[in-house]
Amino acid sequence: MLSGTAVGNICNVSAMLSRESIALAYPAISVSVWVIGLAFAMLAGGIMGLVVSYPALRVKEEWFLSMILLVGGETFRIVVTNTPQIGCGFNGLAGITTPFYWLSSYFPSGPLQAEVPTGLYAAVIVALALGCFVFAQKICNSPYGRLLKSIRDDKVAAESLAKDVSRVRKQIMVIGSVMAGLAGALYVYYIGVATPEDYIPALTFSIWVMMILGGFANNRGLLVGTFVITMLDRGSLVSGILLQSYLANLNPNLIVYGRYMVEAVILLLLLVFRQKGIFPETRIKTKAYTLFDFKKNNNAEPSNSPGEGPQTGGAASG
Amino acid sequence: MTDENVLRVQGISKSFGGVTAVDNVSLAVKRGSITGLIGPNGSGKSTLFNLISGAEKKNPGGSIEFEGRAIDGLPPHRRSALGLGRTFQTPRLFTGMTVLENTMLAPRGQKGERPFVAPFRKRWEGQEIELAKKAQEQMTRLEIDKLYGKLTSEISGGQMKLAQLSTALMEDPKMLLLDEPTAGVAPRLAQDIFQSITDERQQKGTTFFIIEHRLEVLFKHVDTVFVMHQGRIIAEGRPESIVKDKKLIDAYLGS
Amino acid sequence: MLEWLAGSILLSLFNGSIYVVVSLGLTLTLAVVKLPNFAHAEFLTIGGYVGVIVSSAYPDNLLVIGAAAFLFCAAIALAVHRVAFKPLMDRKVSIYILVLASFAVAQFIRYGVFSWASVAGVLSATQNIKVYSLATLYNTELTNVYALAIVLAILISVLLELFLKLTTMGKSMRAIASNFDLARISGINVPRVVDVMWIIAGGLGGLGGMVFGIYTTVTPVLGFNTLLDIFAVVIIAGLTSFTGTIIGGYIVGFSQNTLMDFLHYYFDVSFGYQPLLPFALIIIILLLKPTGLAPSSQTGLSLIRRFARRSSSNPKEPEPPKE
Ligand SMILES: Nc1ncnc2c1ncn2[C@@H]1O[C@H](COP(=O)(O)OP(=O)(O)OP(=O)(O)O)[C@@H](O)[C@H]1O
Ligand SMILES: [Mg+2]
């Protein structure tokens, strides 16, 4: 009887509870479901990226692209919200546990019981994020990175050099979307619910701010940008809770709204006063420079290079 | 029979609204030649190059053949992949990249340009070093090797022309369309550029099709010259005969 | 079987009229300063809330409420221009940067409204304006709100047309729209004209929002929820055509109501998918005809004039340059 209802409706409370009890009892199922979940999320992300890239890369004006992407995201959100068959619609799917939830049965009840599985999972997320970062660094500091920058700078000129611009743009949309899919799945297993209302345009906006804060085409800058905005997010939550204990009638929503407003102001200030972000764009690091730098150093000629001078070699190897 | 012509253009036109920039042009360029294209400002030379390279779409009708193959239906990058390179009159460089990065971008078939090879440095680094050596020679010949670390947004107009030429030559094209390669370049260097072009033709058999207003330099190096006026080819011949052509003098050199 | 049709058409006309009023402001922005202002829809929200506040003091006084919505949003638009857009435009930044800036402005306004509404306890509010039936046609009541919106759309279209056509300010605006640099060197006071442009654009956004807010509940996302609808309108219009905007407004209005009802009653499509219809319009038009459906002329009158001129004489072809 239990299995009948649980299979019949995955959205109700009893299904949620049975998911949690299965996760607690069967570590192997728990971990493998997580792995399969991540794989499917990446696949789905990649397919979404590919589908959206079709219209997005065919439009004439540059800003149409941002609108198509906005339309794509909103379409997905509206479809998921209104289609209970996908992820239980507006209410979302709850009772998603971290892949290490079963560890809690090894601990006596207390803070450790909750914190160990979550902490371990957080460490896994950090490791995967690091993996993505290294991957991004590696493809940026390669001829492929050069190709990407050239397309950003001048599509027509890149085409005149036999570069298949639309193919590369499609590739990079898929790579980016796969990473975003991975991030979404990791996040959902962390917070325990998947609801479409978490993925509003304000989230995309936060990611833009992280990106521009760190500086265009600078992966390390992006880390800093992400750190700052995440600190703002978490910091605002914590300070909100602290403030509430002093100001009894403080409206907790104000903290969230205030954070969005601060992000908007940060972005505006950046655009007006420091468009390049905190850090300058990095040079593509391949061995090509070594030949020239060697010659320069031998002839002891005055430096022609801007800024801190070219960096060479395996700085990018992770 | 088509063998001696690498490029064959047959009755192509281009109009912008009411203006016919290229008007039913037919021409053939001999393999391994250095061919000039001259004509007054606004006569349609650059537009003709844009039609050949695919940067602009020609009006319906007419044909463009490269190495005996119709290329007018191909997108620009496919034309370029067949070995038909070009430069632009106003240099189009990648301004967020250094001169070296611009030059290194050009070669076709770089292993590291595939996203899933790129993360494995070992698999493309050998090729990268080879290409860097070639780039160094190229840039030294054009006297821009010292600029290697500068962003192309930070170099002078003439240097941009040279950087663009260096990029185009790195492609090892079968045929190169050069739009005013010496405009804004110092006279001595203009001579050198044409010398490099002649050398390149000598060594690799590259065909050059060159738009140029500096006739004194151009005429020293070209085999054949086409003269364009108001969108049409009005004369064709060896430079010696072209200078004597009355029609041309009226249209271009005279008055 | 078609009981829904009359009501649906009326609602389409109503919605379309709101879109026309609001989108004319966006078209003006796109034509004059070439800015795809993603913050434009926020004027709608502000206009709706101004309606809520003013109507509590002056119930049913449409003139006062409308004027207040127009003026307040005009002031906000002008302030936004001065603080955010003008510094960027003066530096001639890329359109990409401007688009990002307009998203930032939108987000700031939206969550600013959220904060205020949350404190004031009006996260969901209604205007104090009585809605009553003027006539009944085919079991469908033509209410005063519907009539107001439709009349307003016609009035605004005509007034804007006359303004652009007959006044010096309007002519300057068109001159700037067709050639910014030329307009500046020919002695037009560009900053002043652009200021007036923002006043009209913001004002129209606010006015549209106020009327929309009589019909529906006012919330801080009132505008944001129509953002892509409004962009669908201007994309149909080819971004800068005023005639196209009027047509586009009603196309989007009908697609969201009459077409949606049709899909609902005959194909059982849930009303929840309604926002997808303008999205589909955006994608289809951008793919099939990236320049939009309407010819990109400045105004309807100039279109007519151009036809008149074409029939009398052929446009002069520029002479090829001679030395
Ligand atoms: N994109 C365009 N849109 C409209 N007209 C154009 C365009 N490109 C070129 N033209 C027109 O086509 C004609 C030929 O231009 P083109 O650039 O081919 O001349 P050109 O022979 O290269 O001149 P120059 O020696 O000055 O470079 C000119 O009248 C020009 O105004
Ligand atoms: Mg030219």
Side-chain angles (χ1 to χ4, degrees), chain A residues 42-157:
Chain A
M42 286 160 75
L43 184 69
I47 291 172
M48 279 281 287
L50 196 64
V51 169
V52 174
S53 77
Y54 183 83
L57 300 181
R58 266 167 192 74
V59 295
K60 287 280 180 293
E61 297 218 25
E62 211 179 329
W63 65 269
F64 285 172
L65 200 149
S66 43
M67 196 170 50
I68 294 255
L69 298 181
L70 185 62
V71 166
E74 285 289 274
T75 300
F76 190 71
R77 192 170 63 85
I78 287 164
V79 168
V80 172
T81 307
N82 291 290
T83 316
Q85 290 85 345
I86 311 173
C88 304
F90 180 79
N91 298 318
L93 195 60
I96 304 169
T97 52
T98 73
F100 308 116
Y101 185 55
W102 47 271
L103 275 178
S104 50
S105 62
Y106 295 92
F107 291 93
S109 61
L112 272 186
Q113 192 180 41
E115 294 307 328
V116 168
T118 320
L120 194 58
Y121 182 56
V124 169
I125 294 180
V126 170
L128 284 171
L130 212 62
C132 284
F133 176 75
V134 170
F135 175 75
Q137 279 289 64
K138 288 199 165 205
I139 64 172
C140 290
N141 289 301
S142 77
Y144 191 65
R146 206 152 57 202
L147 183 57
L148 292 177
K149 277 196 186 184
S150 76
I151 291 171
R152 175 201 65 187
D153 283 348
D154 190 336
K155 288 196 284 284
V156 175

Side-chain angles (χ1 to χ4, degrees), chain B residues 46 89 179-180:
Chain B
S46 299
Q89 179 169 0
D179 198 341
E180 303 191 17

Side-chain angles (χ1 to χ4, degrees), chain B residues 36-214:
Chain B
L37 178 60
I38 62 173
N41 293 123
S43 56
K45 306 180 298 292
S46 299
T47 308
L48 180 61
F49 271 22
N50 285 341
L51 299 182
I52 296 172
S53 73
E56 304 252 22
K57 257 200 155 77
K58 68 176 176 58
N59 295 354
S63 69
I64 306 168
E65 273 175 34
F66 179 65
E67 302 229 294
R69 173 173 177 185
I71 57 166
D72 30 314
L74 299 180
H77 70 91
R78 296 277 308 279
R79 300 186 195 194
S80 157
L82 291 173
L84 180 60
R86 76 162 298 178
T87 65
F88 295 87
Q89 179 169 0
T90 26
R92 298 187 80 139
L93 290 160
F94 307 105
T95 48
M97 294 158 68
T98 61
V99 174
L100 177 62
E101 282 163 15
N102 269 265
T103 312
M104 291 290 291
L105 174 76
R108 286 186 288 269
Q110 294 190 43
K111 290 181 197 144
E113 279 191 357
R114 273 172 289 160
F116 294 106
V117 178
F120 308 105
R121 199 149 46 88
K122 292 253 155 49
R123 292 181 56 188
W124 49 262
E125 202 152 58
Q127 191 188 27
E128 178 83 358
I129 292 169
E130 287 301 301
L131 292 175
K133 281 185 189 140
K134 197 174 142 193
Q136 190 172 35
E137 281 167 25
Q138 187 74 66
M139 289 160 69
T140 311
R141 229 175 330 147
L142 294 172
E143 300 183 14
I144 51 169
D145 54 317
K146 285 177 199 138
L147 301 174
Y148 73 99
K150 272 216 193 293
L151 290 179
T152 51
S153 53
E154 295 168 348
I155 60 178
S156 79
Q159 289 169 336
M160 284 184 190
K161 278 268 164 193
L162 295 171
Q164 188 175 227
L165 182 63
S166 151
T167 305
L169 287 173
M170 274 296 277
E171 255 196 300
D172 270 340
K174 294 192 180 115
M175 176 172 185
L176 194 48
L177 310 172
L178 297 177
D179 198 341
E180 303 191 17
T182 72
V185 172
R188 184 189 58 78
L189 204 47
Q191 289 286 359
D192 291 354
I193 286 177
F194 270 94
Q195 198 52 55
S196 325
I197 289 171
T198 313
D199 293 347
E200 191 84 11
R201 190 255 302 256
Q202 211 82 65
Q203 286 163 20
K204 298 181 189 151
T206 314
T207 312
F208 286 91
F209 194 15
I210 307 174
I211 296 177
E212 190 52 79
H213 285 299
R214 261 186 227 236

